[in-house]
Amino acid sequence: MSMRLLLWAPLAALVALGAVLAFRAGWIAAHLTESMAIERYAARYMAETGAQAADCSAVPGARVWLVIRCGTGQDRRVYRVNRIGGLVTGQPADGDRMKEPST
């Protein structure tokens, strides 16, 4: 009987680990607000460039949760953020590009 238990123990441990990780991801997604994500990437922008966090704004993304834009010119940064707050790399999708204002 104990031999059979030893055979199934690694599988049970993997299932338990998967359940804990899924619960954690759900908890983060349920409690992460847009303001928290914007503040996090504004702080990152300040650390990278030394500029002010007030230079940052955010809009909903087409393929990502938020597109956070900070600064202008050479110091401009665009952070594409997924629903759990992670940075998505790559070029922005067409729907994520900032449209120039028309006058």
Side-chain angles (χ1 to χ4, degrees):
M1 183 72 173
S2 65
M3 184 64 159
R4 189 174 289 177
L5 180 64
L6 289 175
L7 290 174
W8 288 100
L11 179 61
L14 284 174
V15 168
L17 177 64
V20 167
L21 291 176
F23 178 79
R24 181 180 178 273
W27 183 269
I28 291 170
H31 291 89
L32 180 66
T33 64
E34 291 176 354
S35 297
M36 292 167 63
I38 295 166
E39 288 172 4
R40 176 179 172 194
Y41 285 98
R44 179 177 175 167
Y45 171 71
M46 287 177 9
E48 289 175 351
T49 64
Q52 296 180 359
D55 294 342
C56 296
S57 63
V59 294
R63 294 191 176 106
V64 294
W65 181 43
L66 292 172
V67 178
I68 302 169
R69 296 180 183 92
C70 297
T72 58
Q74 275 187 334
D75 290 338
R76 182 172 176 84
R77 303 280 195 278
V78 177
Y79 303 104
R80 299 174 66 230
V81 182
N82 63 21
R83 184 60 185 96
I84 59 172
L87 184 63
V88 178
T89 59
Q91 294 298 320
D94 288 334
D96 294 341
R97 295 188 191 280
M98 180 180 274
K99 305 289 189 274
E100 292 298 323
S102 60
T103 55

